Amino acid sequence: MYALDGIEEGYHEAWKRVQKPGVPDMIWTPRTGGHWIATSGDAVREIYADPSRFSSENIWLPKEAGEKYEMVPTRMDPPEHTPYRKALDKGLSLAQIRHVEDRVRVIATELVAEMAPRGQCEFSADYARVFPVRVFMALADLPMEDVPYLSRLAVQMTRPEGNTPEEQAATLEAGNKGFFAYVDPIIRARRGKSGDDMITIMVNSEVNGQPIDHDKALGLISLLLLAGLDTVVNFLSFMMIYLARHPELVAELRSDELKLKRSAEEMFRRFPVVSEARMVAKDQVFRGVELKHGDMILLPTALHGLDDRENADPFKVDLDRRPISHSTFGGGPHRCAGLHLARMEAIVTLEEWFKLIPEFSLADGAAPIYHSGIVAAVDNVPLVWTPKS
């Protein structure tokens, strides 16, 4: 999963090669410590939906790295998971996100307005790594100067370096501990205080009628930072590469405001970036294979959204597609708490970009660089356009 064959041609294309006709729903690989891979959209969906059989006790690969992962509530199963998820939802509810849309739009507008007269940008560096991070840091009331350090911690966790499971585990553990050390004084400072930032809202939530324990607050707020600094960042670059190659789709989006707003779900189906895991909770037979308690199963969300059995012509962004089947935001009790913010960031990006840069393309000779991992990434996305006079 950290070194996909053929990834130089595209992250999603590399995963799709696994999903050849006749490949069973579950296959075994000895790589990354040895684990199963769910290869069909239906299998990915079923595993996400059933924590009684497929536990979140360990969600990272290799398994040794997952054992060092301490964030809350992603390592919990219901019912323990439920009250912590409610605390997370308080800061990321649809109502809360709608309340901050104007602030989000201002950030997007400023970034695009600064780039538009130049006629070119490296989208990954100039926008994708800036916009959602600036949004998140504003909503969490954290200083932008901390972003480089936090971004390094995020990469340590989602694309950990190392040649062995033990080395990767050590890298992930360092990232996890780095997040905990960073958020510890912030949590202590915001306990018992009033404020509308996400961290203050969450650390003053109750769990089972009691203030959230400090060690659990460390995991909760660290998870918030990790998710906010690495997922939408990478999704946006994948999306813009596709749009730069399909001017007819850009024209369609620009011509219909409602269609643009509704496009987010199809975009997230087409460009999933997460490949997390589940641990087999008990001995069982699943999809024709014998699973043992403690076995790990990788869930590449790309293999759901790009499954032809779930979505016809899956590599095409079809704005009229109904229904839209995907697991880009996970599923079951662990469905992504930040999905409302992610959708809004995608829509606002398209709206504000098209206002000032209605037509654009990849620069001649562009060669995006793709990275696989728990969260996929792409660098080197040079876009060009004719500046308005």
Side-chain angles (χ1 to χ4, degrees):
M1 65 176 286
Y2 294 106
L4 290 175
D5 292 340
I7 194 171
E8 64 278 359
E9 297 176 23
Y11 166 77
H12 300 95
E13 290 77 4
W15 266 122
K16 182 63 177 174
R17 289 189 188 93
V18 175
Q19 206 174 58
K20 297 175 182 176
V23 170
D25 287 355
M26 298 284 288
I27 60 175
W28 174 263
T29 175
R31 296 182 179 180
T32 322
H35 60 88
W36 295 94
I37 303 173
T39 68
S40 71
D42 190 54
V44 169
R45 176 172 47 226
E46 183 175 352
I47 293 168
Y48 264 127
D50 193 348
S52 68
R53 289 187 293 159
F54 307 103
S55 172
S56 292
E57 180 182 336
N58 193 329
I59 64 169
W60 248 229
L61 289 173
K63 189 175 183 179
E64 292 85 347
E67 290 167 350
K68 303 296 184 182
Y69 177 81
E70 300 181 77
M71 296 188 179
V72 173
T74 42
R75 276 200 68 176
M76 297 175 171
D77 293 316
E80 182 187 21
H81 160 273
T82 306
Y84 294 98
R85 174 56 188 254
K86 288 180 178 178
L88 195 60
D89 287 343
K90 280 188 177 180
L92 292 165
S93 68
L94 180 58
Q96 183 75 7
I97 296 307
R98 284 175 173 166
H99 179 67
V100 300
E101 181 175 345
D102 288 346
R103 293 167 63 188
V104 172
R105 192 173 297 278
V106 166
I107 294 170
T109 302
E110 289 177 350
L111 286 172
V112 179
E114 189 277 327
M115 287 187 288
R118 301 193 330 231
Q120 62 180 354
C121 75
E122 201 288 271
F123 183 82
S124 175
D126 295 342
Y127 187 91
R129 290 190 208 147
V130 180
F131 167 64
V133 171
R134 189 178 291 179
V135 167
F136 177 82
M137 297 299 274
L139 299 185
D141 192 20
L142 294 173
M144 279 298 295
E145 55 263 31
D146 292 351
V147 167
Y149 172 68
L150 294 172
S151 295
R152 287 194 296 273
L153 295 180
V155 171
Q156 284 183 293
M157 297 198 67
T158 60
R159 295 177 289 283
E161 293 183 353
N163 296 317
T164 67
E166 292 75 19
E167 290 177 357
Q168 289 180 302
T171 301
L172 186 144
E173 183 177 27
N176 202 134
K177 290 186 179 301
F179 272 117
F180 277 26
Y182 176 82
V183 303
D184 180 82
I186 296 168
I187 291 169
R188 295 182 188 279
R190 300 191 192 183
R191 283 275 200 186
K193 304 290 174 55
S194 60
D196 62 359
D197 66 276
M198 290 190 292
I199 294 177
T200 299
I201 291 170
M202 291 180 192
V203 300
N204 290 294
S205 298
E206 292 188 346
V207 172
N208 298 322
Q210 299 295 324
I212 186 170
D213 291 340
H214 185 71
D215 65 325
K216 295 297 193 297
L218 288 173
L220 188 73
I221 303 306
S222 293
L223 173 66
L224 184 70
L225 293 179
L226 176 62
L229 293 171
D230 203 46
T231 47
V232 176
V233 168
N234 294 301
F235 160 79
L236 290 174
S237 289
F238 282 108
M239 178 180 71
M240 291 301 278
I241 290 171
Y242 186 95
L243 291 176
R245 289 171 171 162
H246 294 83
E248 75 288 351
L249 178 61
V250 171
E252 186 178 2
L253 288 165
R254 288 171 47 216
S255 68
D256 190 327
E257 182 179 349
L258 183 58
K259 186 170 282 191
L260 186 154
K261 289 183 180 298
R262 290 177 174 173
S263 71
E265 200 70 15
E266 171 69 350
M267 296 293 188
F268 280 108
R269 176 206 66 80
R270 174 60 181 84
F271 308 109
V273 296
V274 173
S275 295
E276 59 179 349
R278 290 294 184 267
M279 191 182 83
V280 176
K282 55 189 174 185
D283 292 357
Q284 59 185 288
V285 175
F286 178 73
R287 304 285 171 134
V289 301
E290 189 172 323
L291 302 175
K292 297 295 184 181
H293 174 245
D295 283 356
M296 298 299 294
I297 307 173
L298 181 64
L299 306 177
T301 54
L303 294 186
H304 184 171
L306 297 176
D307 190 334
D308 307 72
R309 295 159 291 189
E310 301 281 335
N311 301 289
D313 196 6
F315 276 93
K316 178 183 179 181
V317 172
D318 181 355
L319 301 182
D320 296 316
R321 187 187 302 277
R322 299 291 185 275
I324 300 173
S325 179
H326 67 86
S327 295
T328 298
F329 295 115
H334 287 281
R335 186 166 168 79
C336 176
L339 62 90
H340 301 303
L341 178 59
R343 286 185 178 126
M344 184 180 70
E345 288 177 324
I347 293 167
V348 167
T349 290
L350 294 177
E351 289 176 335
E352 299 308 313
W353 187 273
F354 293 159
K355 286 178 184 176
L356 296 181
I357 309 174
E359 297 179 351
F360 57 98
S361 62
L362 283 169
D364 290 343
I369 300 169
Y370 301 95
H371 311 274
S372 59
I374 296 160
V375 179
V378 57
D379 299 317
N380 191 32
V381 185
L383 302 180
V384 293
W385 58 89
T386 301
K388 291 183 177 180
S389 56

